[in-house]
Amino acid sequence: FAGGNINIKTKAYPDKKILQFKFSLSDKSYLNGNHNYLKSGGSPNDFIGFDDGSRSFPSALSNDQVLSTAASYRPSDMTTVLWYDYLGSALSKFESDFKISSFTPTKPMGIGFYSGNKFQVFSNLEAGYFANLNFSNDITYREFETNQWVYSQHNDGGETLSAYTHRDNERTDKKTSLSGNFSFGLNYNEKHKIKFQNLYTHSSSDWTTQSVGYTPNIEQGIFIKQHYIEKTIHNSTLSGINILPVLDNHLIEWNLNIGRSIRYEPDTKTHNYSAETRTDNGNEYDVYVLDIQGGKGAYREFTDGCLLYTSDAADDLA
């Protein structure tokens, strides 16, 4: 076992002027293959990783109520007919649907911008700044198989291992990453230093999975899940170092920090379809029908949360 601690303190500004711009374009072998790349409806802003509100939970509906045909979720003062009528009206208020479609992927790209400089304000006062902005996007495609088995022991001592579920999956994931940083600092006579730093990061992931196989409830079917999530961290810090010659050069380090973490996960959709054979005028044909076992044919979930945190600290070091 080994342990340790690394304390990294970034500079508020560089020692000399910096001005850089970077651009990158990449490629992946599977992006050139004949794959079934899938996507949900989304919004035009998905390219930069920000939903435009089309996935948001409708403001006209109550966000503390489960919308389901199951009797346990029906308000006690509402008849079944009125509840179904309300559900039909509620569904019409959602902007996004359950449709998925194929698309041709673009090549992943990245952009970066960096700028910084320092200035001599007075003979004993120095100031400077540093700023950077980075953006990148990416597309991944996976084909994978998932299986589950059930192990059983019998009264006669025999044992069996039975297939429980089997799925052949295709997943397309579109990702973005955005980060920005700005810092500003003052240095007075090499004894008093103040730094303000602002950090912002934002990432998004939009993936669609389509699976073919079976479960205990569906003998043969198609299983689809559409998932979109944004994660944001915003952190601001004001810190300083003060050397006090009148107090035997004691060193005081202090900082004030405030930050916010946001998880935005709107409209995660899951819907399953079972294979059926039907007859029309003596002709048989295969169809996939929405599975509604348990009164839940398809469902959507919404998550939106924010965590705010603050801290302050000061150390007096001889």
Side-chain angles (χ1 to χ4, degrees), residues 277-287:
T277 300
R278 295 184 176 181
T279 303
D280 182 21
N281 294 327
N283 299 317
E284 289 189 350
Y285 60 96
D286 297 325
V287 296

Side-chain angles (χ1 to χ4, degrees), residues 8-24:
I8 300 176
K9 297 182 179 180
T10 58
K11 301 176 64 173
Y13 51 86
D15 294 327
K16 61 181 181 179
K17 184 178 181 179
I18 295 176
L19 183 61
Q20 295 180 350
F21 177 79
K22 295 182 179 181
F23 174 80
S24 64

Side-chain angles (χ1 to χ4, degrees), residues 9 11 17 26 33 36 41 47 62 79 89 107 123 129-130 132 138 166 192 199 220 224 226 238 247 249 265 290 308:
K9 297 182 179 180
K11 301 176 64 173
K17 184 178 181 179
S26 60
N36 186 27
F47 177 78
S62 173
T79 65
S89 175
K107 306 302 182 185
S123 59
Y129 78 94
F130 178 75
N132 69 68
D138 194 11
H166 168 79
H192 303 281
L199 175 66
Q220 184 66 33
I224 297 174
Q226 300 155 264
L238 181 65
L247 296 176
N249 286 326
E265 196 171 358
L290 180 67
L308 182 68

Side-chain angles (χ1 to χ4, degrees), residues 258-278:
I258 182 170
R260 185 174 62 164
S261 175
I262 301 174
R263 181 184 180 92
Y264 177 58
E265 196 171 358
D267 211 6
T268 296
K269 295 186 282 283
T270 303
H271 40 121
N272 305 325
Y273 303 84
S274 58
E276 294 184 4
T277 300
R278 295 184 176 181

Side-chain angles (χ1 to χ4, degrees), residues 40-88:
S40 303
S43 69
N45 296 346
D46 287 356
F47 177 78
I48 57 175
F50 290 86
D51 177 57
D52 66 355
S54 59
R55 295 182 177 90
S56 299
F57 191 82
S59 57
L61 302 178
S62 173
N63 59 10
D64 59 354
Q65 184 180 42
V66 178
L67 302 177
S68 172
T69 57
S72 58
Y73 297 115
R74 177 171 58 85
S76 58
D77 60 345
M78 187 177 292
T79 65
T80 301
V81 174
L82 291 177
W83 177 239
Y84 274 55
D85 183 63
Y86 174 78
L87 292 178

Side-chain angles (χ1 to χ4, degrees), residues 7-11 195 241 253 317:
N7 186 12
I8 300 176
K9 297 182 179 180
T10 58
K11 301 176 64 173
K195 178 176 69 173
I241 297 177
E253 294 189 25
L317 306 175

